Amino acid sequence: MTAKTITVTLKKSTIKCNEKQKATVRGLGLRKTGTSKTLENTSAVRGMIKKVIHLLDIQE
């Protein structure tokens, strides 16, 4: 059985974000604007997404 996944895309730059938000985006595996990453749908990943949701585009 495969785990459910979430695809996140970085839609805005992290230039004016604080260091914690930049570290969260890097922790999600996103580097440049427009990059996407498919992640497992866990509570830890959802918490990270919630912190920087204004920078991301999310697809389940």
Side-chain angles (χ1 to χ4, degrees):
M1 184 173 165
T2 60
K4 294 192 176 190
T5 60
I6 296 175
T7 302
V8 292
T9 304
L10 186 61
K11 65 178 181 178
K12 291 187 179 179
S13 174
T14 58
I15 289 175
K16 291 193 175 183
C17 294
N18 63 32
E19 289 301 317
K20 284 188 176 184
Q21 290 176 332
K22 289 180 184 181
T24 302
V25 170
R26 279 188 237 115
L28 289 170
L30 303 171
R31 300 258 177 204
K32 296 181 178 181
T33 305
T35 57
S36 296
K37 191 81 171 186
T38 301
L39 305 165
E40 289 186 28
N41 189 3
T42 62
S43 60
V45 171
R46 286 195 310 268
M48 292 173 75
I49 290 171
K50 187 177 179 183
K51 294 287 184 181
V52 292
I53 196 162
H54 59 284
L55 302 173
L56 303 175
D57 186 29
I58 300 134
Q59 298 173 347
E60 293 190 25

Short mmCIF file of all heavy atoms in Angstrom, two decimals:
data_model
loop_
_atom_site.label_atom_id
_atom_site.label_comp_id
_atom_site.label_asym_id
_atom_site.label_seq_id
_atom_site.Cartn_x
_atom_site.Cartn_y
_atom_site.Cartn_z
N MET A 1 0.84 -1.18 0.00
CA MET A 1 0.00 0.00 0.00
C MET A 1 0.89 1.25 0.00
O MET A 1 1.82 1.36 0.79
CB MET A 1 -0.89 -0.01 1.23
CG MET A 1 -1.86 1.12 1.29
SD MET A 1 -2.96 0.87 2.70
CE MET A 1 -3.64 2.48 2.79
N THR A 2 0.63 2.16 -0.88
CA THR A 2 1.43 3.37 -0.96
C THR A 2 0.85 4.45 -0.06
O THR A 2 -0.36 4.54 0.12
CB THR A 2 1.50 3.90 -2.40
OG1 THR A 2 0.17 4.20 -2.83
CG2 THR A 2 2.12 2.89 -3.33
N ALA A 3 1.74 5.25 0.50
CA ALA A 3 1.30 6.35 1.35
C ALA A 3 0.75 7.48 0.50
O ALA A 3 1.17 7.67 -0.65
CB ALA A 3 2.47 6.85 2.19
N LYS A 4 -0.17 8.24 1.05
CA LYS A 4 -0.71 9.38 0.31
C LYS A 4 0.36 10.46 0.23
O LYS A 4 1.16 10.62 1.14
CB LYS A 4 -1.96 9.91 1.00
CG LYS A 4 -3.08 8.90 0.96
CD LYS A 4 -4.37 9.51 1.39
CE LYS A 4 -5.48 8.48 1.24
NZ LYS A 4 -6.78 9.07 1.41
N THR A 5 0.33 11.20 -0.86
CA THR A 5 1.36 12.21 -1.07
C THR A 5 0.76 13.58 -1.32
O THR A 5 -0.41 13.70 -1.68
CB THR A 5 2.26 11.84 -2.27
OG1 THR A 5 1.45 11.75 -3.44
CG2 THR A 5 2.98 10.52 -2.03
N ILE A 6 1.57 14.59 -1.12
CA ILE A 6 1.22 15.98 -1.39
C ILE A 6 2.30 16.55 -2.29
O ILE A 6 3.49 16.33 -2.05
CB ILE A 6 1.17 16.81 -0.08
CG1 ILE A 6 0.07 16.30 0.83
CG2 ILE A 6 0.96 18.28 -0.37
CD1 ILE A 6 0.03 16.99 2.18
N THR A 7 1.91 17.26 -3.34
CA THR A 7 2.86 17.94 -4.20
C THR A 7 2.84 19.42 -3.86
O THR A 7 1.78 20.05 -3.90
CB THR A 7 2.52 17.74 -5.68
OG1 THR A 7 2.49 16.33 -5.95
CG2 THR A 7 3.54 18.41 -6.58
N VAL A 8 3.99 19.96 -3.50
CA VAL A 8 4.10 21.38 -3.16
C VAL A 8 4.98 22.07 -4.19
O VAL A 8 5.98 21.52 -4.63
CB VAL A 8 4.65 21.60 -1.74
CG1 VAL A 8 3.67 21.13 -0.71
CG2 VAL A 8 5.98 20.92 -1.53
N THR A 9 4.58 23.27 -4.58
CA THR A 9 5.34 24.08 -5.53
C THR A 9 5.61 25.43 -4.89
O THR A 9 4.72 26.04 -4.33
CB THR A 9 4.54 24.28 -6.83
OG1 THR A 9 4.19 23.00 -7.36
CG2 THR A 9 5.35 25.05 -7.86
N LEU A 10 6.86 25.88 -4.98
CA LEU A 10 7.22 27.19 -4.45
C LEU A 10 6.80 28.24 -5.46
O LEU A 10 7.32 28.29 -6.57
CB LEU A 10 8.73 27.26 -4.18
CG LEU A 10 9.24 28.51 -3.50
CD1 LEU A 10 8.61 28.68 -2.12
CD2 LEU A 10 10.75 28.48 -3.39
N LYS A 11 5.80 29.06 -5.10
CA LYS A 11 5.27 30.03 -6.05
C LYS A 11 5.76 31.45 -5.80
O LYS A 11 5.63 32.31 -6.65
CB LYS A 11 3.74 30.01 -6.06
CG LYS A 11 3.09 30.45 -4.78
CD LYS A 11 1.59 30.43 -4.88
CE LYS A 11 0.99 30.91 -3.57
NZ LYS A 11 -0.45 30.96 -3.62
N LYS A 12 6.30 31.72 -4.60
CA LYS A 12 6.83 33.05 -4.28
C LYS A 12 8.24 32.92 -3.75
O LYS A 12 8.62 31.91 -3.17
CB LYS A 12 5.95 33.74 -3.24
CG LYS A 12 4.59 34.13 -3.75
CD LYS A 12 3.86 34.96 -2.72
CE LYS A 12 2.49 35.38 -3.24
NZ LYS A 12 1.76 36.16 -2.24
N SER A 13 9.01 33.99 -3.89
CA SER A 13 10.39 34.01 -3.44
C SER A 13 10.46 34.11 -1.91
O SER A 13 9.55 34.62 -1.26
CB SER A 13 11.10 35.21 -4.06
OG SER A 13 12.40 35.33 -3.54
N THR A 14 11.58 33.66 -1.36
CA THR A 14 11.80 33.74 0.08
C THR A 14 12.71 34.90 0.46
O THR A 14 13.21 34.94 1.58
CB THR A 14 12.42 32.42 0.59
OG1 THR A 14 13.65 32.20 -0.09
CG2 THR A 14 11.49 31.26 0.38
N ILE A 15 12.89 35.86 -0.42
CA ILE A 15 13.82 36.96 -0.18
C ILE A 15 13.47 37.75 1.08
O ILE A 15 14.31 38.03 1.90
CB ILE A 15 13.90 37.89 -1.41
CG1 ILE A 15 14.62 37.18 -2.54
CG2 ILE A 15 14.60 39.19 -1.06
CD1 ILE A 15 14.65 37.95 -3.84
N LYS A 16 12.21 38.12 1.26
CA LYS A 16 11.83 38.94 2.40
C LYS A 16 11.34 38.13 3.60
O LYS A 16 10.85 38.69 4.57
CB LYS A 16 10.76 39.95 2.00
CG LYS A 16 11.28 41.02 1.08
CD LYS A 16 10.31 42.16 0.95
CE LYS A 16 10.92 43.26 0.10
NZ LYS A 16 10.04 44.41 0.02
N CYS A 17 11.51 36.82 3.56
CA CYS A 17 11.09 35.97 4.66
C CYS A 17 12.17 35.92 5.73
O CYS A 17 13.34 36.15 5.46
CB CYS A 17 10.84 34.55 4.16
SG CYS A 17 9.47 34.44 3.03
N ASN A 18 11.74 35.58 6.95
CA ASN A 18 12.73 35.44 8.01
C ASN A 18 13.46 34.10 7.87
O ASN A 18 13.09 33.25 7.06
CB ASN A 18 12.10 35.61 9.39
CG ASN A 18 11.06 34.56 9.70
OD1 ASN A 18 11.16 33.43 9.25
ND2 ASN A 18 10.05 34.93 10.46
N GLU A 19 14.50 33.92 8.66
CA GLU A 19 15.37 32.74 8.50
C GLU A 19 14.63 31.43 8.80
O GLU A 19 14.91 30.41 8.17
CB GLU A 19 16.59 32.86 9.41
CG GLU A 19 17.58 33.92 8.94
CD GLU A 19 18.10 33.65 7.54
OE1 GLU A 19 18.44 32.49 7.22
OE2 GLU A 19 18.17 34.60 6.75
N LYS A 20 13.70 31.45 9.74
CA LYS A 20 12.95 30.22 10.04
C LYS A 20 12.10 29.78 8.86
O LYS A 20 12.00 28.60 8.56
CB LYS A 20 12.07 30.42 11.27
CG LYS A 20 12.83 30.42 12.57
CD LYS A 20 11.88 30.43 13.74
CE LYS A 20 12.64 30.33 15.04
NZ LYS A 20 11.74 30.24 16.20
N GLN A 21 11.48 30.75 8.17
CA GLN A 21 10.67 30.40 7.01
C GLN A 21 11.55 29.90 5.87
O GLN A 21 11.19 28.94 5.18
CB GLN A 21 9.84 31.60 6.57
CG GLN A 21 8.74 31.94 7.54
CD GLN A 21 7.99 33.19 7.16
OE1 GLN A 21 8.53 34.10 6.53
NE2 GLN A 21 6.73 33.26 7.58
N LYS A 22 12.70 30.52 5.68
CA LYS A 22 13.63 30.05 4.64
C LYS A 22 14.09 28.63 4.93
O LYS A 22 14.17 27.78 4.03
CB LYS A 22 14.84 30.98 4.54
CG LYS A 22 14.52 32.33 3.95
CD LYS A 22 15.76 33.20 3.89
CE LYS A 22 15.42 34.58 3.38
NZ LYS A 22 16.58 35.46 3.29
N ALA A 23 14.38 28.35 6.20
CA ALA A 23 14.83 27.01 6.58
C ALA A 23 13.71 25.99 6.39
O ALA A 23 13.96 24.85 5.98
CB ALA A 23 15.28 27.02 8.03
N THR A 24 12.47 26.39 6.64
CA THR A 24 11.33 25.49 6.44
C THR A 24 11.16 25.14 4.96
O THR A 24 10.94 23.99 4.61
CB THR A 24 10.04 26.12 7.00
OG1 THR A 24 10.24 26.40 8.38
CG2 THR A 24 8.87 25.18 6.84
N VAL A 25 11.29 26.15 4.09
CA VAL A 25 11.18 25.91 2.65
C VAL A 25 12.31 24.98 2.20
O VAL A 25 12.08 24.04 1.43
CB VAL A 25 11.20 27.24 1.87
CG1 VAL A 25 11.34 27.00 0.38
CG2 VAL A 25 9.93 28.03 2.15
N ARG A 26 13.52 25.21 2.69
CA ARG A 26 14.64 24.33 2.34
C ARG A 26 14.40 22.92 2.87
O ARG A 26 14.75 21.94 2.23
CB ARG A 26 15.95 24.89 2.90
CG ARG A 26 16.54 25.97 2.04
CD ARG A 26 17.94 26.36 2.52
NE ARG A 26 17.92 27.80 2.80
CZ ARG A 26 18.09 28.36 3.99
NH1 ARG A 26 18.33 27.62 5.06
NH2 ARG A 26 18.05 29.65 4.14
N GLY A 27 13.80 22.82 4.06
CA GLY A 27 13.50 21.52 4.65
C GLY A 27 12.47 20.73 3.85
O GLY A 27 12.48 19.50 3.87
N LEU A 28 11.60 21.45 3.16
CA LEU A 28 10.64 20.78 2.28
C LEU A 28 11.28 20.34 0.97
O LEU A 28 10.64 19.66 0.17
CB LEU A 28 9.46 21.72 1.98
CG LEU A 28 8.51 21.98 3.15
CD1 LEU A 28 7.55 23.11 2.81
CD2 LEU A 28 7.74 20.73 3.50
N GLY A 29 12.52 20.74 0.73
CA GLY A 29 13.23 20.33 -0.47
C GLY A 29 13.06 21.28 -1.64
O GLY A 29 13.35 20.92 -2.78
N LEU A 30 12.61 22.50 -1.37
CA LEU A 30 12.38 23.48 -2.43
C LEU A 30 13.51 24.50 -2.42
O LEU A 30 13.91 24.99 -1.37
CB LEU A 30 11.04 24.19 -2.22
CG LEU A 30 9.84 23.24 -2.16
CD1 LEU A 30 8.60 24.01 -1.73
CD2 LEU A 30 9.62 22.57 -3.49
N ARG A 31 14.02 24.83 -3.60
CA ARG A 31 15.12 25.78 -3.70
C ARG A 31 14.71 27.05 -4.44
O ARG A 31 14.66 28.11 -3.87
CB ARG A 31 16.29 25.13 -4.43
CG ARG A 31 16.81 23.89 -3.75
CD ARG A 31 18.06 24.20 -3.01
NE ARG A 31 18.51 23.02 -2.30
CZ ARG A 31 19.27 23.07 -1.24
NH1 ARG A 31 19.67 24.23 -0.77
NH2 ARG A 31 19.64 21.98 -0.65
N LYS A 32 14.41 26.92 -5.73
CA LYS A 32 14.07 28.08 -6.57
C LYS A 32 12.57 28.20 -6.75
O LYS A 32 11.83 27.22 -6.64
CB LYS A 32 14.73 27.95 -7.94
CG LYS A 32 16.23 27.95 -7.92
CD LYS A 32 16.77 27.85 -9.33
CE LYS A 32 18.29 27.90 -9.33
NZ LYS A 32 18.81 27.81 -10.69
N THR A 33 12.13 29.40 -7.07
CA THR A 33 10.72 29.63 -7.35
C THR A 33 10.31 28.77 -8.55
O THR A 33 11.00 28.72 -9.56
CB THR A 33 10.48 31.11 -7.67
OG1 THR A 33 10.97 31.88 -6.58
CG2 THR A 33 9.01 31.40 -7.86
N GLY A 34 9.18 28.10 -8.43
CA GLY A 34 8.68 27.25 -9.50
C GLY A 34 9.04 25.78 -9.36
O GLY A 34 8.53 24.95 -10.10
N THR A 35 9.90 25.44 -8.40
CA THR A 35 10.25 24.03 -8.23
C THR A 35 9.16 23.30 -7.46
O THR A 35 8.46 23.88 -6.63
CB THR A 35 11.59 23.88 -7.47
OG1 THR A 35 11.50 24.54 -6.21
CG2 THR A 35 12.74 24.45 -8.27
N SER A 36 9.01 22.02 -7.74
CA SER A 36 8.00 21.19 -7.10
C SER A 36 8.64 20.00 -6.43
O SER A 36 9.71 19.54 -6.83
CB SER A 36 6.99 20.68 -8.13
OG SER A 36 6.30 21.75 -8.70
N LYS A 37 7.96 19.49 -5.42
CA LYS A 37 8.43 18.31 -4.71
C LYS A 37 7.22 17.52 -4.25
O LYS A 37 6.23 18.09 -3.80
CB LYS A 37 9.25 18.77 -3.50
CG LYS A 37 10.01 17.71 -2.80
CD LYS A 37 11.29 17.41 -3.52
CE LYS A 37 12.14 16.49 -2.66
NZ LYS A 37 13.43 16.25 -3.20
N THR A 38 7.28 16.21 -4.39
CA THR A 38 6.22 15.33 -3.92
C THR A 38 6.67 14.74 -2.59
O THR A 38 7.72 14.12 -2.49
CB THR A 38 5.95 14.21 -4.93
OG1 THR A 38 5.58 14.82 -6.17
CG2 THR A 38 4.82 13.32 -4.47
N LEU A 39 5.85 14.97 -1.54
CA LEU A 39 6.20 14.56 -0.19
C LEU A 39 5.10 13.67 0.38
O LEU A 39 3.96 13.71 -0.05
CB LEU A 39 6.36 15.80 0.70
CG LEU A 39 7.34 16.85 0.21
CD1 LEU A 39 7.12 18.15 0.95
CD2 LEU A 39 8.75 16.37 0.38
N GLU A 40 5.46 12.87 1.40
CA GLU A 40 4.47 12.05 2.08
C GLU A 40 3.56 12.93 2.92
O GLU A 40 3.99 13.94 3.46
CB GLU A 40 5.17 11.03 2.99
CG GLU A 40 5.87 9.94 2.23
CD GLU A 40 6.41 8.87 3.16
OE1 GLU A 40 5.83 8.67 4.25
OE2 GLU A 40 7.41 8.25 2.80
N ASN A 41 2.32 12.53 3.03
CA ASN A 41 1.33 13.29 3.78
C ASN A 41 1.40 12.89 5.25
O ASN A 41 0.62 12.09 5.74
CB ASN A 41 -0.06 13.03 3.21
CG ASN A 41 -1.10 13.96 3.80
OD1 ASN A 41 -0.80 14.83 4.59
ND2 ASN A 41 -2.34 13.76 3.41
N THR A 42 2.38 13.47 5.98
CA THR A 42 2.52 13.20 7.41
C THR A 42 2.22 14.47 8.18
O THR A 42 2.17 15.57 7.62
CB THR A 42 3.95 12.74 7.73
OG1 THR A 42 4.86 13.79 7.40
CG2 THR A 42 4.31 11.48 6.97
N SER A 43 2.04 14.32 9.48
CA SER A 43 1.73 15.49 10.30
C SER A 43 2.91 16.46 10.34
O SER A 43 2.71 17.68 10.39
CB SER A 43 1.35 15.06 11.71
OG SER A 43 2.40 14.35 12.31
N ALA A 44 4.14 15.97 10.28
CA ALA A 44 5.31 16.85 10.29
C ALA A 44 5.37 17.69 9.02
O ALA A 44 5.62 18.90 9.08
CB ALA A 44 6.58 16.02 10.42
N VAL A 45 5.11 17.07 7.89
CA VAL A 45 5.13 17.80 6.61
C VAL A 45 3.98 18.80 6.56
O VAL A 45 4.17 19.94 6.13
CB VAL A 45 5.06 16.81 5.43
CG1 VAL A 45 4.86 17.54 4.12
CG2 VAL A 45 6.32 15.97 5.37
N ARG A 46 2.81 18.41 7.04
CA ARG A 46 1.68 19.34 7.05
C ARG A 46 1.95 20.54 7.94
O ARG A 46 1.57 21.67 7.62
CB ARG A 46 0.40 18.63 7.50
CG ARG A 46 -0.17 17.71 6.43
CD ARG A 46 -1.60 17.30 6.74
NE ARG A 46 -1.78 16.79 8.09
CZ ARG A 46 -1.70 15.51 8.45
NH1 ARG A 46 -1.45 14.60 7.53
NH2 ARG A 46 -1.87 15.13 9.69
N GLY A 47 2.64 20.34 9.06
CA GLY A 47 3.01 21.44 9.94
C GLY A 47 3.98 22.40 9.28
O GLY A 47 3.86 23.63 9.42
N MET A 48 4.94 21.86 8.53
CA MET A 48 5.90 22.70 7.80
C MET A 48 5.18 23.51 6.71
O MET A 48 5.45 24.69 6.53
CB MET A 48 7.00 21.84 7.18
CG MET A 48 7.91 21.21 8.20
SD MET A 48 9.06 20.06 7.47
CE MET A 48 10.23 21.16 6.72
N ILE A 49 4.26 22.86 6.02
CA ILE A 49 3.50 23.54 4.97
C ILE A 49 2.67 24.67 5.57
O ILE A 49 2.58 25.76 5.00
CB ILE A 49 2.61 22.53 4.21
CG1 ILE A 49 3.48 21.62 3.35
CG2 ILE A 49 1.58 23.24 3.36
CD1 ILE A 49 2.73 20.46 2.73
N LYS A 50 2.07 24.43 6.73
CA LYS A 50 1.24 25.44 7.37
C LYS A 50 2.03 26.70 7.70
O LYS A 50 1.51 27.81 7.63
CB LYS A 50 0.62 24.85 8.64
CG LYS A 50 -0.39 25.74 9.30
CD LYS A 50 -1.02 25.04 10.50
CE LYS A 50 -2.01 25.96 11.17
NZ LYS A 50 -2.57 25.33 12.37
N LYS A 51 3.31 26.56 8.05
CA LYS A 51 4.15 27.71 8.41
C LYS A 51 4.44 28.62 7.22
O LYS A 51 4.66 29.81 7.38
CB LYS A 51 5.48 27.25 9.00
CG LYS A 51 5.34 26.55 10.32
CD LYS A 51 5.00 27.54 11.41
CE LYS A 51 4.96 26.84 12.76
NZ LYS A 51 4.61 27.76 13.83
N VAL A 52 4.49 28.05 6.01
CA VAL A 52 4.86 28.83 4.82
C VAL A 52 3.83 28.68 3.70
O VAL A 52 4.16 28.77 2.52
CB VAL A 52 6.27 28.44 4.30
CG1 VAL A 52 7.34 28.85 5.28
CG2 VAL A 52 6.36 26.94 4.02
N ILE A 53 2.56 28.50 4.08
CA ILE A 53 1.51 28.24 3.09
C ILE A 53 1.35 29.42 2.13
O ILE A 53 0.95 29.24 0.99
CB ILE A 53 0.19 27.88 3.78
CG1 ILE A 53 -0.76 27.25 2.78
CG2 ILE A 53 -0.42 29.08 4.47
CD1 ILE A 53 -1.88 26.48 3.41
N HIS A 54 1.68 30.63 2.58
CA HIS A 54 1.55 31.81 1.71
C HIS A 54 2.56 31.82 0.57
O HIS A 54 2.42 32.57 -0.38
CB HIS A 54 1.68 33.08 2.55
CG HIS A 54 2.97 33.19 3.27
ND1 HIS A 54 3.25 32.46 4.41
CD2 HIS A 54 4.06 33.94 3.02
CE1 HIS A 54 4.47 32.76 4.82
NE2 HIS A 54 4.99 33.65 4.00
N LEU A 55 3.58 30.96 0.65
CA LEU A 55 4.59 30.88 -0.41
C LEU A 55 4.38 29.69 -1.34
O LEU A 55 5.04 29.59 -2.37
CB LEU A 55 5.99 30.73 0.22
CG LEU A 55 6.43 31.82 1.18
CD1 LEU A 55 7.76 31.42 1.83
CD2 LEU A 55 6.58 33.13 0.46
N LEU A 56 3.47 28.79 -1.00
CA LEU A 56 3.34 27.52 -1.69
C LEU A 56 2.03 27.37 -2.45
O LEU A 56 1.03 28.01 -2.14
CB LEU A 56 3.44 26.37 -0.68
CG LEU A 56 4.68 26.28 0.18
CD1 LEU A 56 4.53 25.16 1.19
CD2 LEU A 56 5.92 26.10 -0.65
N ASP A 57 2.07 26.46 -3.42
CA ASP A 57 0.89 25.97 -4.12
C ASP A 57 0.82 24.48 -3.82
O ASP A 57 1.80 23.77 -4.06
CB ASP A 57 0.99 26.24 -5.62
CG ASP A 57 -0.26 25.87 -6.36
OD1 ASP A 57 -1.35 25.94 -5.76
OD2 ASP A 57 -0.16 25.51 -7.54
N ILE A 58 -0.29 24.01 -3.28
CA ILE A 58 -0.39 22.64 -2.79
C ILE A 58 -1.41 21.85 -3.61
O ILE A 58 -2.50 22.34 -3.89
CB ILE A 58 -0.79 22.63 -1.31
CG1 ILE A 58 0.25 23.36 -0.50
CG2 ILE A 58 -0.95 21.22 -0.79
CD1 ILE A 58 -0.33 24.30 0.47
N GLN A 59 -1.03 20.62 -3.99
CA GLN A 59 -1.93 19.70 -4.69
C GLN A 59 -1.85 18.36 -3.99
O GLN A 59 -0.77 17.87 -3.71
CB GLN A 59 -1.52 19.54 -6.13
CG GLN A 59 -1.58 20.83 -6.93
CD GLN A 59 -0.99 20.65 -8.32
OE1 GLN A 59 -0.35 19.66 -8.60
NE2 GLN A 59 -1.20 21.64 -9.16
N GLU A 60 -3.01 17.77 -3.70
CA GLU A 60 -3.02 16.47 -3.05
C GLU A 60 -3.11 15.35 -4.06
O GLU A 60 -3.57 15.52 -5.13
CB GLU A 60 -4.17 16.38 -2.06
CG GLU A 60 -3.97 17.31 -0.89
CD GLU A 60 -4.96 17.07 0.23
OE1 GLU A 60 -5.47 15.95 0.33
OE2 GLU A 60 -5.21 18.01 0.97
#
